Amino acid sequence: ATTEIYTFPYTTLFRSGTWVKAKRQPAARSRARVSAGLSPRIAAVKASLEAKAHAKASPVIAPTGTTPVALAYKVGGRMFALLSVRGDEYVVLKCDPHLAEMLRAKYSGIGHRTHLDRRHWIAVDLTSDVPLTETKRLVVHSYDLVFAGLTRGQRASLGLG
């Protein structure tokens, strides 16, 4: 019998007693599974993230699972958002350090959640006191921060000269 343990898309898997390079899952299939059963707030934030120019989503899969637990949104190869699609409803966004301090003081639903630097990244709980319009404004802010930091070469690869 064949034993298969799948891990992250770019790491390895254990098959028939040996470790081999894992194949990347097709993004279209992963996104189709992600879209089913999303809450209205997550769907609204997801639509806002996907509306950004040159933004690409890639699924984040848990080591023991096959369905994505989050979507990492990148522009020019740099991440600007991490949207949870299973479990707790939250989005992690890049943020100006001064603005992040003010937002944490104003809203109880803005804090820190991941291993990312807490000075530059905030986690917005989508079921808390943070209005959806404020969350969408923070998505735009996050995208603008990352896009402004792209090099000339990265902008050229996006077709922006």
Side-chain angles (χ1 to χ4, degrees), residues 1 5 32 41 57 60 82 93 120 136 148:
I5 301 173
R41 288 185 67 91
V60 178
L82 184 69
L93 300 166
H120 299 282
K136 288 182 178 181

Side-chain angles (χ1 to χ4, degrees), residues 21-32:
K21 183 88 174 165
K23 293 181 182 174
R24 186 167 187 242
Q25 286 187 338
R29 195 175 96 207
S30 298
R31 283 193 197 110

Side-chain angles (χ1 to χ4, degrees), residues 1-2 12 17 21 25 34 42 46 58-60 72 79 83 88-89 93 96 108 112-113 118 126 131 142 144 155-156:
T2 302
T12 58
K21 183 88 174 165
Q25 286 187 338
V34 167
I42 287 183
K46 184 174 184 259
S58 58
V60 178
M79 187 172 79
L83 178 66
D88 295 340
E89 296 182 3
L93 300 166
D96 176 65
S108 64
H112 184 70
R113 194 167 187 104
R118 70 177 51 244
L126 299 177
S142 177
D144 290 344
R155 289 179 194 233

Side-chain angles (χ1 to χ4, degrees), residues 129-143:
D129 60 340
V130 183
L132 188 57
T133 55
E134 181 72 11
T135 304
K136 288 182 178 181
R137 189 184 68 75
L138 290 171
V139 165
V140 171
H141 175 69
S142 177
Y143 176 84

Side-chain angles (χ1 to χ4, degrees), residues 7-62:
T7 59
F8 289 99
Y10 298 107
T11 58
T12 58
L13 58 96
F14 186 75
R15 180 181 287 149
S16 301
T18 59
W19 291 96
V20 294
K21 183 88 174 165
K23 293 181 182 174
R24 186 167 187 242
Q25 286 187 338
R29 195 175 96 207
S30 298
R31 283 193 197 110
R33 282 187 278 162
V34 167
S35 297
L38 293 180
S39 75
R41 288 185 67 91
I42 287 183
V45 173
K46 184 174 184 259
S48 177
L49 288 165
E50 291 177 351
K52 305 312 292 168
H54 306 289
K56 293 190 166 84
S58 58
V60 178
I61 301 171

